[in-house]
Amino acid sequence: MVLPTKPCVEEWLEPAPMLRIHTGLQHSIIWPSQPNCLPVSFTTLPQKLQDEGYATHAVGKWHVGFYKKECLPTNRGFDTFFGYLTGSEDYWTHFRSGGNQANFLEHWYGYDLHDNLRPAWEYTGNYSAYVFTERVQNIFKSHNQDEPFFLYLALQSVHSPLQAPQKYINMYSHIKNKNRRLYAAMTTCMDDAVGNIVKSLQDLQLWNNTLLIFSTDNGGQVAEGGNNWPLRGWKGSYWEGGMKAVGFASSPLLPSSVQGTITNELMHVSDWFPTLVEGIAKGNIRNTELDGFNVWSTISEGKPSPRKELLHNIDAFEEDDKSTFNVNMTAAIRVGDWKLITGHPGADNGAWIPVPNSGINAFKPLLIPDQNVWLFNITGDPYEYRDLSQLRPDIVSQLTERLHYYYNKSVPAYYPDPDPKANPALHEDVWGPWL
């Protein structure tokens, strides 16, 4: 069999070519009822890969807006889409409430599993990890093996609500904490899904020309079974436990010298765009508005990353004075060994939460009234135990200047009120475009 001249790429990752401060999406998430989406003016990763001759498919979670048809995956560079447009849907029924942006929205319920533009009602009662795995395997089987493909797979696992098939729950009956037991079951189910997908690639003789990328997009939510110990904080915060993400790239195409190795070089989700388009597909990213770096040589050769600093976010949405950056704004930046946090980092200002029933007690930091600046040598102190902001005002000043720089280049956060026209009851009980 002749393999494609370009490698196939399979990715588990949130698509984000730009820093959030350049998209207007730096505050919270897009709730189902909000008339908002990733701005349609931006070129997406799958659009650029289509230009390079790739077939493009999205399976699983979208969650970057759907209020109008222009925002849908099949209008943002994907040839096909099978999955859900919102977040936190039920794994079995595929229904989702309106969210907690407004109390009355809790009573809105809509079906959210779509096969391209069609509500896929026939999958009601089928666990999503099984459904998504089957769809991916069918894509492989029907794929023209003379052309490369890009598959973006965003499994629900292990996002809330905590739900798993009983056979996986039974594996962890020894775990006393219910949330952790369900979380472990969901994780194992996800592992099996990934294994089955890789086996399909191998059976179809596609694996030898495939790059598989696996990544999380945030830290664990301790209220929903997740855990980040010994890191500080959890999902929704700017502490390392909320933001530090791990992942891996696997492929027979990678040199043996880097297979099985670990890199701690800096990388941001926005780096995947130039890395895959330029580094893998050998495409052209000129005249494309990007914040990322091509880090393919870091992954494939172990070279230092071209990224030297990493803006986590600047969220000024709730500030009265937005004329210039100030340290009351919630922000975080990493430059070399240093990490600066300003404003309110979230997660109760950063408790350390051990695994339930571990015998270790949770502990909270000493809170200083009105503190709005924290500085850590994140290389030497990855658990953020020692705030050095008082000892190193010079570093605080330097990193604050970088936040000023980024803020001046940012666009205002766009976080519209819920739209009553979004109510699924007005659209045959389905979440979908309403404008």
Side-chain angles (χ1 to χ4, degrees):
M1 183 188 71
V2 179
L3 292 174
T5 55
K6 296 180 179 179
C8 303
V9 181
E10 187 165 12
E11 182 182 14
W12 281 267
L13 200 70
E14 295 278 353
M18 300 289 292
L19 292 173
R20 296 177 71 182
I21 61 165
H22 294 151
T23 65
L25 301 177
Q26 58 266 51
H27 181 70
S28 189
I29 64 172
I30 298 176
W31 295 98
S33 55
Q34 282 184 304
N36 197 10
C37 73
L38 179 71
V40 296
S41 59
F42 289 132
T43 301
T44 66
L45 169 60
Q47 286 172 326
K48 292 297 290 186
L49 289 175
Q50 282 181 332
D51 292 343
E52 300 303 322
Y54 279 71
T56 57
H57 306 280
V59 176
K61 183 178 182 178
W62 179 240
H63 207 190
V64 285
F66 62 90
Y67 76 103
K68 58 183 180 179
K69 289 185 177 179
E70 292 88 339
C71 302
L72 295 177
T74 48
N75 290 319
R76 303 308 304 272
F78 287 107
D79 297 328
T80 69
F81 170 68
F82 180 82
Y84 57 117
L85 299 169
T86 63
S88 304
E89 68 162 10
D90 189 283
Y91 284 68
W92 298 97
T93 68
H94 314 301
F95 272 78
R96 206 261 195 225
S97 72
N100 60 2
Q101 195 189 11
N103 289 335
F104 71 88
L105 298 182
E106 292 293 342
H107 302 290
W108 291 10
Y109 280 90
Y111 191 75
D112 186 17
L113 185 61
H114 301 262
D115 192 344
N116 291 319
L117 299 178
R118 178 183 65 82
W121 290 102
E122 67 270 26
Y123 292 99
T124 302
N126 293 299
Y127 192 72
S128 68
Y130 295 160
V131 172
F132 295 151
T133 300
E134 179 183 54
R135 176 52 61 101
V136 168
Q137 291 172 323
N138 288 336
I139 289 172
F140 294 158
K141 290 174 183 177
S142 61
H143 176 68
N144 178 359
Q145 296 190 6
D146 290 330
E147 67 175 339
F149 69 83
F150 170 69
L151 172 70
Y152 164 61
L153 171 63
L155 291 164
Q156 274 188 272
S157 316
V158 288
H159 199 288
S160 63
L162 301 182
Q163 298 170 319
Q166 191 61 45
K167 73 172 186 177
Y168 289 101
I169 298 174
N170 292 341
M171 292 180 180
Y172 297 99
S173 58
H174 61 283
I175 297 179
K176 296 179 181 179
N177 182 275
K178 180 181 178 181
N179 282 357
R180 290 295 289 172
R181 182 165 63 250
L182 288 168
Y183 197 91
M186 295 162 70
T187 302
T188 300
C189 185
M190 177 184 67
D191 287 346
D192 284 351
V194 175
N196 290 331
I197 288 169
V198 171
K199 186 177 186 304
S200 293
L201 287 167
Q202 294 169 336
D203 291 344
L204 293 168
Q205 300 182 48
L206 293 170
W207 175 246
N208 287 339
N209 204 36
T210 296
L211 171 67
L212 184 151
I213 299 165
F214 186 99
S215 177
T216 183
D217 63 344
N218 50 247
Q221 173 53 271
V222 297
E224 298 289 350
N227 190 265
N228 309 295
W229 179 265
L231 297 179
R232 184 176 183 177
W234 52 87
K235 179 180 178 179
S237 77
Y238 288 14
W239 306 108
E240 289 295 277
M243 298 187 303
K244 188 177 181 65
V246 296
F248 63 81
S250 179
S251 174
L253 300 171
L254 288 168
S256 59
S257 59
V258 298
Q259 292 190 24
T261 62
I262 296 173
T263 179
N264 290 309
E265 292 291 314
L266 278 185
M267 183 177 177
H268 185 260
V269 63
S270 61
D271 297 333
W272 283 120
F273 191 123
T275 298
L276 296 180
V277 174
E278 187 178 52
I280 299 297
K282 306 305 179 186
N284 181 2
I285 60 172
R286 292 192 298 273
N287 301 319
T288 305
E289 192 175 4
L290 294 175
D291 288 320
F293 294 88
N294 178 357
V295 297
W296 181 238
S297 63
T298 303
I299 294 171
S300 62
E301 302 175 45
K303 291 184 177 181
S305 172
R307 175 175 291 282
K308 303 305 177 187
E309 67 180 32
L310 196 164
L311 175 69
H312 293 300
N313 197 25
I314 302 174
D315 184 358
F317 182 77
E318 296 179 350
E319 285 299 304
D320 293 330
D321 182 8
K322 299 182 177 65
S323 59
T324 185
F325 177 80
N326 66 79
V327 293
N328 289 318
M329 295 177 180
T330 299
I333 188 170
R334 166 85 180 268
V335 180
D337 294 333
W338 296 101
K339 176 183 176 183
L340 180 74
I341 306 176
T342 66
H344 189 279
D348 195 22
N349 272 11
W352 292 266
I353 307 295
V355 177
N357 304 116
S358 65
I360 304 173
N361 293 324
F363 60 99
K364 297 182 179 180
L366 176 65
L367 298 182
I368 300 174
D370 301 321
Q371 182 175 5
N372 56 9
V373 173
W374 294 261
L375 177 71
F376 301 97
N377 182 323
I378 211 67
T379 303
D381 180 21
Y383 310 136
E384 297 169 303
Y385 288 139
R386 191 181 184 204
D387 172 24
L388 301 175
S389 60
Q390 297 298 315
L391 295 176
R392 296 301 305 267
D394 56 325
I395 302 297
V396 171
S397 178
Q398 292 173 26
L399 270 60
T400 302
E401 282 300 311
R402 294 305 294 164
L403 290 174
H404 275 283
Y405 166 81
Y406 281 112
Y407 186 71
N408 289 339
K409 289 179 170 290
S410 69
V411 300
Y414 184 61
Y415 193 71
D417 291 333
D419 187 346
K421 294 189 292 292
N423 190 344
L426 303 176
H427 310 284
E428 300 180 333
D429 296 321
V430 174
W431 287 110
W434 66 90
L435 292 182

